[in-house]
Amino acid sequence: MTIGCAMPPLETIEEQPAITKPRRLSVPTAVARFEIRYSRFLDPKGNAERGLPDFARDRAELVALYRAMVLARRFDTKAVALQRTGRLGTFASALGQEAVPVGVASAMRAEDVLLPSFREHGAQLWRGVSPVELLLFWGGDERGSNFAEPREDFPVCVPVGTHAPHSVGVALAFKLRQEKRVAVCVFGDGATSKGDVAEALNAAGVWQLPVVFVINNNRWAISVPLAHQTAAETLAQKAIAAGIEGEQVDGNDVIAVREAMSRALGKARAGGGPHLIEALTYRLGDHTTADDASRYRSGSEVSARWAEEPIARLRNYLVAEGMWGKADEERLLAEITLTIERAAETYLATPPQGIETIFDFTYQTLPKDLAEQRQAALDPMALERAGK
Amino acid sequence: MTIGCAMPPLETIEEQPAITKPRRLSVPTAVARFEIRYSRFLDPKGNAERGLPDFARDRAELVALYRAMVLARRFDTKAVALQRTGRLGTFASALGQEAVPVGVASAMRAEDVLLPSFREHGAQLWRGVSPVELLLFWGGDERGSNFAEPREDFPVCVPVGTHAPHSVGVALAFKLRQEKRVAVCVFGDGATSKGDVAEALNAAGVWQLPVVFVINNNRWAISVPLAHQTAAETLAQKAIAAGIEGEQVDGNDVIAVREAMSRALGKARAGGGPHLIEALTYRLGDHTTADDASRYRSGSEVSARWAEEPIARLRNYLVAEGMWGKADEERLLAEITLTIERAAETYLATPPQGIETIFDFTYQTLPKDLAEQRQAALDPMALERAGK
Amino acid sequence: MPEITLVQAVNLALARAMADDPSVLVLGEDVGAEGGVFRATEGLLDRFGADRVLDTPLAEGVIAGMSVGLAAQGFRPVSEIQFTGFIYPTIDQLVNHASRLRTRTRGRLTCPMVMRSPYGAGIRAVEHHSESPEAMFVHVPGLRVVIPSSPARAYGLLLAAIRDPDPVVFLEPTRLYRAAREEVEDNGEALPLDHCFVLREGTDITLITWGAMTKETLAAADRLEVDGVSAEVIDVATLKPLDSDGLLASVAKTGRCVIVHEAPLTGGVGAEIAARIAERGLVSLLAPIERVAGWDTVMPLPRLEQQYLPSEARILAAARRVLAYQ
Amino acid sequence: MPEITLVQAVNLALARAMADDPSVLVLGEDVGAEGGVFRATEGLLDRFGADRVLDTPLAEGVIAGMSVGLAAQGFRPVSEIQFTGFIYPTIDQLVNHASRLRTRTRGRLTCPMVMRSPYGAGIRAVEHHSESPEAMFVHVPGLRVVIPSSPARAYGLLLAAIRDPDPVVFLEPTRLYRAAREEVEDNGEALPLDHCFVLREGTDITLITWGAMTKETLAAADRLEVDGVSAEVIDVATLKPLDSDGLLASVAKTGRCVIVHEAPLTGGVGAEIAARIAERGLVSLLAPIERVAGWDTVMPLPRLEQQYLPSEARILAAARRVLAYQ
Ligand SMILES: Cc1ncc(C[n+]2csc(CCOP(=O)(O)OP(=O)(O)O)c2C)c(N)n1
Ligand SMILES: Cc1ncc(C[n+]2csc(CCOP(=O)(O)OP(=O)(O)O)c2C)c(N)n1
Ligand SMILES: [Mg+2]
Ligand SMILES: [Mg+2]
């Protein structure tokens, strides 16, 4: 039969083909099998369930993780307080979720690029964004996204999931330049419903890009619980649709998050392609300072979840192992309190930018018509002269 | 610990928690397992590999399927010929893929709703859209989408994958009205990369809607082969991300397509929720009449695929079973040729609509400013008077 | 008759429409138990049940697309997009499907859907929560675009939008959600979808605006009155189709015109209005039209947003230039 | 120097930019072996390899989004959207990210990306392949919008767009892709991105247009010349930022103006141009501005598309009304 022959030729019709007896296969054949695995090291009480990974045998490493989680929580507490007193804009606290950003960032290298959602201050702080910069951003000042370092990290992404495609581009840049760097994109459980995320996972798979996607699954997207977000048993299995690897970790166990991240980053750095990590945690606080979670979920659900929160968990382990005591805790809290208070003062003392900045950064060079508008915006006298 | 307590209390720090010996689990636990199955009944030569489903024991049923595939192919041949002679617009032939639309539509009930892509004429014809209407659409006349029946089916969807969300809405309508109807949405392998499809699958899963998604996987999206479209081993596994059931069938075996569809439709009708079927076929022709596939794929790849095409496969089975002979074939071809030729004549004899129609159907009632434009468009005299 | 806010009027109209017509559905992110982030859908879940008030997955594209499917099946879906910053993924469905389902099927299938979204700046919201993209929708044939600026107009226009047989983008100015109260009778009466509203009659100059900017514009008109200038203030309200006649009639009377909107100047709806006046009202114009609009920059974060928004002072200055023109 | 078509000029500019600058990448659906459905990227894969010419999965959203990521990393991605009917899923990325990456990071990250797309009607294409959505992009602060109307301008403007440090939407009129040939020297010289082009000088009336409508507009000008009318024809070409000065200078000279575009009238870029002239050029206007544009309907399927597109006759009629105005 030749190409372009639209119908089977009439002549062949009487060439009776051989008939074979039906082979009566009772079931269809399985052509692909998948499995999603879950891992953790510390149980909710802080007991080690398995041998800890190497980094976790080092007290300094664990204390650094602990410190970062406490810093994140204290930052959140301060930010909420500033918002409540009208000195900060709407703010999204990560109360109870600190192990995800800290576990993620602590496994990254400085030269990797983080693409955070709006609830990853913990990761931003670890990577060197200052609390002042974070407060500026949440206080409504663009300079908060012009952090001194890390210069190539993306700013907070407010539109849910839309940064996932960016991470594909960043990772492709690394691959094309043959750099051993990895893009890390973090988003929430709600974001997994967005087409952007599916498109990004798929594209990352096609090019086997060095990118790690992390789902900070805090079980709620504002008022929508996970069960109404998807029928998928796990969010890690979103990876299967893209033909990439996915796994689940206890997102309240910072050791588990960091360990999974390290593996994923190592694989990506070695050219092994993308990876998806679903970190199971819980949003203990309101969605943002503009939210009142008691409208849509019960207090008892929340209080039950307090028993799993990541800071107490790691502290229990540290204390049990004799690595941490009351004096350490007091010293740490004092240090962090000072850091945060100073940052808040600096933030509050920072005068707003001039209005000209909104013009000056629209394009690299100011177009003519925009220059005229800039002039008008800067010159209240123009209004005066016009007769107000 | 009470809700709202941001840090674990300092007092508890010295209450040494019990230490348990690490349980040394060597591997993480599997929390979810999935399997994608593949089914077919007729092998490429037309031999039955397994016992056929009930409907396929009935000659009339099989002949109807055969006729529908031949009709689709002949329609395509005619449409391409019309295009080549400047009497039809760009056209997308389904050469070699006829078993998918025919298998899909033949399993549906009249009251179900089909949401087709641009390569499913075979399904539209089965459901009652006339060849004249199809030619009108492809000839550039909106009346082609105002088919006499089935009145609730969606028109051809040209933007890839954007009809998947529509099928969610249609299925939700059925569910809310407690009607035992199913929405059937068909799209290509390329469409599975689009966020719309992922969003639709997920939403259908959340509400367990009566919708069957069918991937007409012809291995190419214009010039992009499946391997560059996704890293996923199968496209059926896109369902896993949505927590819904997915399976693969031989899309060149019309019996397999229809059987899988019947199961999926039955499940959906019974309230069992959505289903995804990946039908594996091959685009034997160019992407459209505007395409030249020899630019991007080899002739030998294509000729090898001719050995699997669906019409010869079913005919071989029918002939081998003594259900079909040369005389049947000749009679069928004559009948279909007549049908198609008459349709083409009617199409060619249909004068275009008046330009007023583009105004009259923009809204249900014509807004004032549009009425003025309608007037201007209808009145060439206005131009005349203006001095041309 | 109770005095209610704009967002309460939206809620009232939704409840009324749902009570009157079982085909009306409300859907979107957090519209159920949460009652919407601004409480526009508060109480609807309790009253009408989970079959008519649906929390959707977090995906604006599928909210728009499933609305098309529901509408084609005879439902009247009223969806909420949480902020206009997240409305862009719906544009594909609005342009390629919702707005043309009727015309591409020559009336066989239609699309009576409403997409509501809070819009505009001035509430010190986070990034992407303050934009005014109405011009993008106004350019799309087959859509209607409606923006209320008072509780009563919110009630009447939303009822009309829901009852309309074609797709409507309904943008609600967040800055006005709770800014003022007005008596609104829940009488089920809709307002027309193709008329602008004269908020204040005047003879010397026409100030044309919509949405939250009605506030500053009315304030400017008050101020002008002190100076002895009689300003007519028009709330366009139904931006598409646009009531050219209503606007032209006012300008014919006053001969002078300032158009005010929050969205960036270039390509804003003010351009269309100015163009129509320049085409058909040129004879009556005694002075150039001025537009006072958002700057052609990205909406700044809250610390600078007040300097982005057209101020009463800018409106006044423009009006005075136009009035002074000989 | 060879005579080449507009689509060949696009190809030439792409090749030139890639040869000059290793950070330039080409990506999109079917841009590789296929060379693009219109052959705009033909030969680039062979010449520059699969690391620089990337066939993407079928997902316009990710094409736009990954361009942002690539651009932030210092690449200059030039993506192709196969038809503007499929460009809508990119709007979210363009509005919420590409156009504001610079301003939201105060210059720390920037977005030098180009998104090319064939656009416009007149080639008897299937549904959704004939739209002209330029106005949607012109409204977005931080974007540039460029439309060439000749091979030489395609070459020079595309080079400029690729070298520009900010995001550019570059729309190519399909109807002109192979309509005419012109000598284009491959000299690597870019054209300015903020100037309109006077295609024909004249003194009695200014005809302003862009894209494929330059053809009918120039024909109308020829015809007017027969009648003794000297028409100036301007190709706006760089729609955003808009060269107001260039347009105003011409209208100041002629006092009369007709604006011609394919996109629907309402909210089209013609509105912005008319508004600017009405604001700043009113004194020089001897007659009302007229706009000749696509109707405010959905673009019809091919059998009616010619009646949708502004014809030479409609342009002429408008010009004559404007000329006759006293
Ligand atoms: C595209 C988009 N739609 C809606 C919103 C409004 N919104 C902000 S956060 C949020 C829920 C996000 O849930 P999830 O992804 O689980 O992240 P979480 O807030 O729980 O960290 C919504 C709907 C948004 N920011 N972006
Ligand atoms: C959203 C969108 N992008 C691009 C196109 C142009 N286009 C038409 S068909 C096609 C390939 C579709 O591939 P697939 O989904 O596999 O369907 P097939 O054509 O193979 O039946 C493309 C890219 C389109 N129609 N819609
Ligand atoms: Mg969440
Ligand atoms: Mg395909």
Side-chain angles (χ1 to χ4, degrees):
Chain A
M1 213 168 290
T2 58
I3 299 177
C5 169
M7 281 285 295
L10 199 61
E11 311 79 60
T12 64
I13 208 166
E14 309 281 70
E15 299 165 13
Q16 193 81 355
I19 281 225
T20 47
K21 278 270 161 252
R23 273 194 274 130
R24 305 228 164 252
L25 311 174
S26 55
V27 286
T29 7
V31 287
R33 288 206 174 83
F34 309 94
E35 189 175 270
I36 297 298
R37 292 167 178 209
Y38 169 89
S39 64
R40 82 169 170 202
F41 291 89
L42 298 184
D43 75 10
K45 294 216 156 67
N47 301 315
E49 291 186 332
R50 346 173 359 206
L52 298 193
D54 279 350
F55 73 82
R57 308 234 168 84
D58 181 342
R59 175 182 186 273
E61 292 271 18
L62 290 184
V63 167
L65 297 176
Y66 183 68
R67 178 188 182 279
M69 292 199 291
V70 174
L71 177 69
R73 186 166 296 183
R74 282 294 171 111
F75 175 81
D76 276 356
T77 309
K78 184 71 194 176
V80 170
L82 287 169
Q83 193 281 334
R84 296 277 183 245
T85 50
R87 293 174 296 166
L88 198 79
T90 302
F91 177 76
S93 148
L95 182 65
Q97 305 177 226
E98 295 84 357
V100 181
V102 170
V104 165
S106 61
M108 291 172 68
R109 292 192 187 156
E111 67 267 27
D112 295 336
V113 163
L114 177 72
L115 299 101
S117 78
F118 43 83
R119 213 183 286 284
E120 308 302 327
H121 346 296
Q124 294 184 293
L125 287 167
W126 180 287
R127 289 184 55 74
V129 181
S130 78
V132 177
E133 289 160 340
L134 290 179
L135 289 172
L136 278 170
F137 172 74
W138 290 100
D141 190 316
E142 287 80 358
R143 287 171 298 184
S145 295
N146 184 14
F147 22 87
E149 56 179 318
R151 295 296 287 170
E152 294 180 40
D153 276 14
F154 266 57
V156 159
C157 185
V158 169
V160 167
T162 54
H163 55 322
H166 305 162
S167 67
V168 173
V170 171
L172 181 57
F174 296 160
K175 179 165 181 160
L176 292 176
R177 286 194 301 249
Q178 304 183 330
E179 295 170 343
K180 296 210 169 306
R181 301 165 69 189
V182 184
V184 175
C185 184
V186 190
F187 41 82
D189 44 304
T192 63
S193 296
K194 278 214 83 195
D196 312 61
V197 169
E199 291 186 0
L201 291 173
N202 186 64
V206 167
W207 288 301
Q208 289 295 298
L209 298 179
V211 50
V212 179
F213 299 98
V214 180
I215 304 172
N216 189 332
N217 180 359
N218 64 6
R219 260 69 167 219
W220 290 89
I222 310 187
S223 73
V224 179
L226 191 56
H228 290 175
Q229 196 63 249
T230 186
E233 301 89 323
T234 71
L235 295 178
Q237 74 204 52
K238 303 274 174 184
I240 298 173
I244 71 176
E245 221 182 315
E247 66 176 291
Q248 228 181 24
V249 298
D250 186 329
N252 285 351
D253 174 5
V254 69
I255 297 174
V257 176
R258 173 155 167 184
E259 191 271 340
M261 270 307 286
S262 298
R263 276 189 285 108
L265 288 164
K267 180 181 83 170
R269 225 179 289 288
H275 198 95
L276 174 68
I277 294 173
E278 175 192 6
L280 283 160
T281 176
Y282 189 84
R283 196 192 81 211
L284 290 171
D286 292 332
H287 170 69
T288 64
T289 50
D291 181 48
D292 170 11
S294 71
R295 291 178 67 87
Y296 51 78
R297 66 180 186 185
S298 70
S300 59
E301 170 180 327
V302 181
S303 43
R305 292 291 191 165
W306 267 99
E308 301 173 2
E309 70 98 1
I311 292 186
R313 184 183 307 204
L314 182 59
R315 198 179 78 176
N316 286 348
Y317 177 78
L318 288 171
V319 170
E321 293 285 316
M323 295 177 179
W324 197 252
K326 206 163 180 172
D328 299 307
E329 181 88 355
E330 279 166 346
R331 215 176 309 118
L332 178 71
L333 292 181
E335 176 240 320
I336 282 175
T337 304
L338 192 67
T339 306
I340 299 286
E341 289 304 323
R342 285 214 178 125
E345 279 160 30
T346 309
Y347 155 68
L348 290 170
T350 308
Q353 308 164 92
I355 188 68
E356 71 282 359
T357 55
I358 76 169
F359 300 95
D360 295 345
F361 290 102
T362 302
Y363 302 91
Q364 185 172 76
T365 48
L366 195 64
K368 219 161 25 178
D369 51 358
L370 213 48
E372 287 166 23
Q373 293 187 15
R374 182 182 190 275
Q375 190 57 36
L378 271 178
D379 184 9
M381 296 306 290
L383 299 182
E384 221 49 59
R385 280 195 302 277
K388 163 97 187 179
Chain B
M1 212 170 290
T2 58
I3 299 177
C5 168
M7 282 286 295
L10 198 62
E11 309 80 60
T12 65
I13 208 166
E14 310 281 71
E15 299 164 15
Q16 192 82 356
I19 279 226
T20 48
K21 279 268 162 255
R23 276 193 275 128
R24 306 228 165 252
L25 311 174
S26 54
V27 287
T29 6
V31 286
R33 289 206 174 81
F34 309 94
E35 189 176 271
I36 297 298
R37 292 167 177 209
Y38 169 88
S39 64
R40 82 168 170 203
F41 290 89
L42 297 184
D43 75 9
K45 293 216 156 68
N47 300 316
E49 291 185 330
R50 346 174 359 206
L52 299 194
D54 279 352
F55 73 82
R57 308 233 169 84
D58 181 343
R59 175 181 185 276
E61 292 271 16
L62 290 184
V63 167
L65 297 175
Y66 183 68
R67 178 188 180 279
M69 292 199 291
V70 174
L71 177 69
R73 186 165 296 182
R74 282 294 171 110
F75 176 80
D76 276 356
T77 310
K78 184 71 194 179
V80 170
L82 288 170
Q83 193 282 334
R84 297 276 183 246
T85 50
R87 292 175 296 167
L88 197 78
T90 303
F91 177 76
S93 147
L95 182 64
Q97 304 177 226
E98 295 84 356
V100 181
V102 169
V104 165
S106 61
M108 291 172 67
R109 293 193 186 155
E111 67 267 27
D112 295 336
V113 163
L114 176 72
L115 299 100
S117 79
F118 44 82
R119 214 182 287 281
E120 307 303 327
H121 347 296
Q124 294 185 292
L125 288 167
W126 181 287
R127 287 184 56 74
V129 180
S130 78
V132 177
E133 288 159 340
L134 289 179
L135 289 172
L136 279 170
F137 172 74
W138 290 100
D141 190 316
E142 287 81 357
R143 286 171 298 184
S145 295
N146 184 14
F147 22 85
E149 57 180 315
R151 295 296 286 171
E152 294 181 40
D153 276 14
F154 266 56
V156 160
C157 185
V158 168
V160 168
T162 54
H163 55 322
H166 304 163
S167 67
V168 172
V170 171
L172 181 56
F174 296 159
K175 180 165 181 159
L176 292 176
R177 285 194 301 247
Q178 303 182 330
E179 295 170 344
K180 296 208 168 308
R181 302 165 69 188
V182 184
V184 175
C185 184
V186 191
F187 42 81
D189 44 306
T192 63
S193 296
K194 279 214 85 195
D196 312 61
V197 169
E199 292 186 359
L201 292 173
N202 187 64
V206 167
W207 288 301
Q208 290 295 300
L209 298 180
V211 49
V212 179
F213 300 98
V214 180
I215 304 172
N216 190 332
N217 179 0
N218 64 7
R219 261 67 166 220
W220 289 89
I222 309 187
S223 74
V224 179
L226 191 56
H228 290 175
Q229 196 63 249
T230 187
E233 302 88 324
T234 71
L235 296 178
Q237 75 204 53
K238 302 275 174 183
I240 298 173
I244 70 177
E245 220 182 318
E247 66 176 292
Q248 226 181 25
V249 298
D250 186 330
N252 285 351
D253 175 4
V254 70
I255 298 174
V257 176
R258 173 156 167 183
E259 191 271 341
M261 271 305 287
S262 299
R263 275 188 288 108
L265 288 164
K267 180 180 83 169
R269 225 180 289 286
H275 198 95
L276 174 68
I277 294 173
E278 176 191 6
L280 284 160
T281 175
Y282 189 84
R283 196 191 81 211
L284 290 171
D286 292 331
H287 169 68
T288 64
T289 50
D291 181 47
D292 170 11
S294 71
R295 290 178 67 87
Y296 51 78
R297 66 180 186 185
S298 71
S300 59
E301 170 181 325
V302 181
S303 42
R305 291 293 191 164
W306 268 99
E308 300 174 1
E309 70 97 2
I311 293 186
R313 184 183 306 206
L314 182 59
R315 197 179 79 176
N316 286 347
Y317 177 77
L318 288 171
V319 170
E321 292 285 318
M323 294 177 180
W324 196 252
K326 204 163 181 170
D328 299 307
E329 182 87 356
E330 279 166 346
R331 216 176 308 118
L332 178 70
L333 292 182
E335 176 241 319
I336 282 175
T337 304
L338 192 68
T339 305
I340 298 286
E341 289 304 323
R342 285 215 178 123
E345 279 161 30
T346 309
Y347 155 67
L348 291 169
T350 308
Q353 310 163 90
I355 188 68
E356 72 282 359
T357 54
I358 76 170
F359 299 94
D360 295 345
F361 290 102
T362 302
Y363 301 91
Q364 186 173 74
T365 48
L366 194 65
K368 219 161 28 177
D369 51 358
L370 213 49
E372 287 166 24
Q373 292 187 15
R374 182 182 191 274
Q375 190 57 35
L378 270 179
D379 184 10
M381 294 306 289
L383 299 182
E384 220 51 60
R385 281 195 301 277
K388 162 96 186 180
Chain C
M1 215 161 48
E3 294 210 323
I4 59 174
T5 62
L6 199 156
V7 70
Q8 288 169 330
V10 166
N11 186 264
L12 202 63
L14 289 171
R16 179 75 188 210
M18 294 185 83
D20 286 354
D21 180 353
S23 71
V24 176
L25 304 176
V26 162
L27 68 160
E29 296 158 13
D30 307 291
V31 296
E34 167 86 338
V37 291
F38 285 103
R39 310 286 177 256
T41 57
E42 188 161 33
L44 299 180
L45 175 65
D46 283 348
R47 181 158 165 208
F48 298 102
D51 271 4
R52 299 191 57 201
V53 181
L54 293 107
D55 272 336
T56 62
L58 207 172
E60 285 75 12
V62 90
I63 292 174
M66 66 186 278
S67 293
V68 172
L70 284 164
Q73 274 293 316
F75 280 96
R76 288 178 181 263
V78 183
S79 64
E80 175 174 301
I81 301 298
Q82 216 155 67
F83 287 91
T84 44
F86 316 129
I87 210 168
Y88 306 108
T90 72
I91 292 183
D92 191 23
Q93 287 291 340
L94 290 174
V95 174
N96 276 337
H97 294 292
S99 66
R100 60 177 82 187
L101 195 55
R102 178 188 295 281
T103 196
R104 28 197 308 246
T105 63
R106 285 297 180 257
R108 181 171 64 82
L109 298 177
T110 62
C111 199
M113 65 185 259
V114 176
M115 183 177 286
R116 297 176 39 245
S117 184
Y119 94 107
I123 58 163
R124 299 187 57 77
V126 292
E127 218 177 343
H128 303 286
H129 287 63
S130 304
E131 278 74 5
S132 298
E134 67 270 18
M136 287 191 165
F137 303 108
V138 165
H139 189 48
V140 181
L143 289 186
R144 289 181 182 273
V145 181
V146 178
I147 298 180
S149 72
S150 79
R153 284 190 292 282
Y155 178 84
L157 290 172
L158 183 51
L159 278 183
I162 296 172
R163 291 174 192 163
D164 192 81
D166 290 302
V168 182
V169 174
F170 194 88
L171 302 176
E172 301 160 5
T174 43
R175 189 151 60 93
L176 299 188
Y177 261 162
R178 301 190 170 84
R181 290 173 176 274
E182 186 178 20
E183 286 197 348
V184 178
E185 197 187 342
D186 185 12
N187 56 9
E189 274 177 32
L191 287 166
L193 283 187
D194 48 6
H195 273 77
C196 57
F197 295 85
V198 178
L199 300 188
R200 177 190 172 118
E201 295 199 17
T203 52
D204 300 333
I205 185 169
T206 302
L207 307 179
I208 298 174
T209 190
W210 55 90
M213 290 311 304
T214 48
K215 213 174 150 198
E216 287 72 17
T217 307
L218 283 167
D222 285 347
R223 178 59 206 261
L224 287 170
E225 188 166 45
V226 175
D227 302 351
V229 173
S230 162
E232 179 142 310
V233 177
I234 299 189
D235 173 8
V236 179
T238 56
L239 280 81
K240 187 182 184 77
L242 190 62
D243 176 18
S244 304
D245 292 353
L247 301 174
L248 285 165
S250 176
V251 177
K253 180 172 67 174
T254 63
R256 299 178 197 266
C257 176
V258 172
I259 304 165
V260 183
H261 61 72
E262 243 183 81
L265 179 83
T266 295
V269 180
E272 179 61 34
I273 294 171
R276 291 200 185 185
I277 296 172
E279 277 158 20
R280 310 202 191 168
L282 191 72
V283 272
S284 45
L285 275 185
L286 303 172
I289 302 162
E290 284 215 30
R291 288 178 290 162
V292 180
W295 309 115
D296 282 322
T297 70
V298 171
M299 166 67 57
L301 296 189
R303 277 189 159 194
L304 294 177
E305 78 177 328
Q306 286 305 328
Q307 291 178 70
Y308 179 90
L309 284 175
S311 60
E312 185 193 329
R314 281 181 62 205
I315 301 168
L316 264 180
R320 286 179 177 148
R321 276 191 301 270
V322 168
L323 286 161
Y325 189 90
Q326 303 288 351
Chain D
M1 212 162 50
E3 294 212 322
I4 59 175
T5 61
L6 198 156
V7 69
Q8 288 169 329
V10 167
N11 185 265
L12 201 64
L14 289 172
R16 179 75 187 211
M18 294 186 82
D20 286 354
D21 180 353
S23 71
V24 176
L25 305 176
V26 162
L27 69 160
E29 296 158 13
D30 307 291
V31 296
E34 166 85 340
V37 292
F38 286 104
R39 309 286 174 259
T41 58
E42 188 160 35
L44 299 179
L45 175 65
D46 284 347
R47 183 159 163 208
F48 298 102
D51 270 5
R52 298 191 58 202
V53 181
L54 293 105
D55 273 336
T56 62
L58 206 172
E60 285 75 12
V62 90
I63 293 174
M66 66 187 278
S67 292
V68 172
L70 283 164
Q73 273 293 315
F75 280 96
R76 289 179 180 262
V78 184
S79 64
E80 175 174 302
I81 301 298
Q82 216 156 65
F83 288 91
T84 44
F86 316 128
I87 210 168
Y88 306 108
T90 72
I91 292 183
D92 192 23
Q93 288 290 341
L94 291 173
V95 174
N96 276 337
H97 294 292
S99 65
R100 59 178 80 185
L101 194 56
R102 178 188 295 281
T103 196
R104 31 197 304 248
T105 64
R106 285 298 178 256
R108 181 171 63 83
L109 298 176
T110 62
C111 199
M113 64 185 261
V114 176
M115 183 177 285
R116 298 177 38 247
S117 184
Y119 94 106
I123 58 162
R124 299 188 57 77
V126 291
E127 218 177 343
H128 304 284
H129 286 62
S130 304
E131 278 75 5
S132 298
E134 67 269 19
M136 287 192 165
F137 304 107
V138 165
H139 189 48
V140 181
L143 290 186
R144 288 182 182 273
V145 182
V146 178
I147 299 180
S149 71
S150 79
R153 284 190 292 282
Y155 178 84
L157 290 171
L158 182 52
L159 277 183
I162 296 171
R163 291 173 192 163
D164 192 81
D166 291 302
V168 182
V169 174
F170 194 88
L171 301 176
E172 301 160 4
T174 42
R175 189 151 61 94
L176 299 188
Y177 260 163
R178 301 188 169 84
R181 290 173 176 275
E182 186 178 21
E183 286 196 349
V184 178
E185 198 186 341
D186 185 13
N187 56 8
E189 273 176 33
L191 288 166
L193 283 188
D194 49 5
H195 272 77
C196 57
F197 295 86
V198 178
L199 301 189
R200 177 190 173 118
E201 294 199 17
T203 51
D204 300 332
I205 185 168
T206 302
L207 308 180
I208 298 174
T209 190
W210 56 89
M213 291 311 304
T214 49
K215 212 174 152 199
E216 287 72 18
T217 307
L218 284 167
D222 285 346
R223 178 58 206 263
L224 287 171
E225 189 166 43
V226 175
D227 302 351
V229 174
S230 163
E232 180 141 310
V233 176
I234 299 190
D235 173 8
V236 178
T238 56
L239 279 82
K240 185 180 185 78
L242 190 62
D243 176 17
S244 304
D245 292 352
L247 301 174
L248 285 166
S250 176
V251 176
K253 179 172 68 174
T254 62
R256 300 176 196 268
C257 176
V258 171
I259 304 164
V260 183
H261 61 73
E262 243 183 84
L265 179 82
T266 296
V269 179
E272 180 60 35
I273 295 171
R276 292 200 184 186
I277 297 171
E279 277 157 20
R280 310 201 190 170
L282 191 72
V283 271
S284 45
L285 275 185
L286 304 172
I289 302 162
E290 284 214 30
R291 289 178 290 163
V292 180
W295 309 115
D296 282 322
T297 69
V298 171
M299 167 67 57
L301 295 189
R303 276 189 160 193
L304 295 177
E305 77 177 330
Q306 285 305 329
Q307 291 177 70
Y308 179 89
L309 284 175
S311 60
E312 185 192 330
R314 280 181 62 204
I315 301 168
L316 264 180
R320 286 178 177 148
R321 275 191 303 269
V322 168
L323 286 160
Y325 188 90
Q326 304 288 353

